[in-house]
Amino acid sequence: MLQQEMADMLNKQLNREFFSAYLYLEIANYYSDQGLDGFANWFTIQTQEERDHAMLFRIYLLNNDTHVQLMEIPAPNQSFSNPKMPLEAALEHERYITSHIHELYAEAHRLKDFRTVQFLDWFVKEQGEEEKNTNDLVKRFELFGEDPKGLYLLDSELASRVYTAPSLVLD
Ligand code: OFO
């Protein structure tokens, strides 16, 4: 069983991962409304990945005989006035999530909870990738997205993204 403070922090992170899924679904909905189905596809897959992250926290807690505390998921309540805004919001959100993963990591070290450290290793790496992917998208939008033809091509490219399950498997 995990120490209570560690369990509480992991439960909160589970909730943040579901919130991330919710935020990205809001963004996917925005792009669908705009007729940018490729961007909508990219963020729908982000939603699936975030749900997977939440489920990984759930499985980890359960595997360690620790109660899973489900909490309310706040509404994202975002409004976007141009197609670049959601990308910037997503990047800011990924940086925020990274800061929480790093807090969890530091706390696991402080408590000498090395099993949790090992579990979190995957998330530390994953956050690096998530930030890079989102930042790349912002940069590519800045390069091509203001021009209608460029936006069309970028959207077509993002339509080809496919969902793959996370490489971290817990059973
Ligand atoms: Fe869960 O990785 Fe993004 O937030």
Side-chain angles (χ1 to χ4, degrees):
M1 200 159 174
L2 299 172
Q3 296 171 69
Q4 194 55 50
E5 44 200 316
M6 196 74 252
D8 289 346
M9 287 178 79
L10 291 166
N11 269 297
K12 280 189 188 138
Q13 187 59 32
L14 187 160
N15 180 269
R16 280 187 207 103
E17 299 292 343
F18 274 128
F19 175 75
S20 303
Y22 226 32
L23 173 65
Y24 292 150
L25 196 57
E26 175 117 305
I27 292 177
N29 292 345
Y30 164 80
Y31 284 123
S32 274
D33 287 345
Q34 301 298 310
L36 290 167
D37 292 342
F39 283 85
N41 173 60
W42 201 89
F43 277 98
T44 303
I45 291 169
Q46 280 302 103
T47 298
Q48 289 170 290
E49 288 196 355
E50 298 301 348
R51 179 212 51 204
D52 290 341
H53 296 169
M55 295 304 271
L56 288 170
F57 278 96
R58 172 183 173 268
I59 294 165
Y60 182 72
L61 288 162
L62 291 175
N63 281 354
N64 285 280
D65 198 20
T66 301
H67 177 66
V68 175
Q69 180 73 42
L70 293 179
M71 289 169 268
E72 197 174 342
I73 304 165
N77 265 336
Q78 300 276 321
S79 60
F80 306 113
S81 45
N82 63 63
K84 189 182 170 193
M85 277 179 77
L87 305 179
E88 291 171 327
L91 181 57
E92 194 186 329
H93 183 70
E94 284 305 327
R95 288 176 176 154
Y96 163 78
I97 292 295
T98 298
S99 72
H100 279 289
I101 294 288
H102 289 181
E103 266 176 31
L104 280 166
Y105 203 80
E107 186 64 3
H109 266 285
R110 192 183 72 78
L111 295 171
K112 295 191 170 31
D113 178 352
F114 299 116
R115 190 185 303 166
T116 300
V117 168
Q118 212 171 40
F119 165 68
L120 290 170
D121 274 337
W122 184 88
F123 284 92
V124 171
K125 186 163 172 277
E126 173 73 4
Q127 278 311 120
E129 286 170 16
E130 298 262 83
E131 279 191 42
K132 182 187 182 313
N133 292 341
T134 315
N135 197 24
D136 284 353
L137 208 49
V138 172
K139 284 195 211 152
R140 291 170 70 216
F141 190 93
E142 283 168 353
L143 282 171
F144 313 114
E146 311 293 351
D147 164 64
K149 212 192 258 177
L151 182 61
Y152 176 78
L153 290 173
L154 194 51
D155 190 59
S156 307
E157 186 190 317
L158 297 179
S160 65
R161 184 183 183 193
V162 289
Y163 166 73
T164 43
S167 54
L168 177 66
V169 178
L170 296 170
D171 46 30

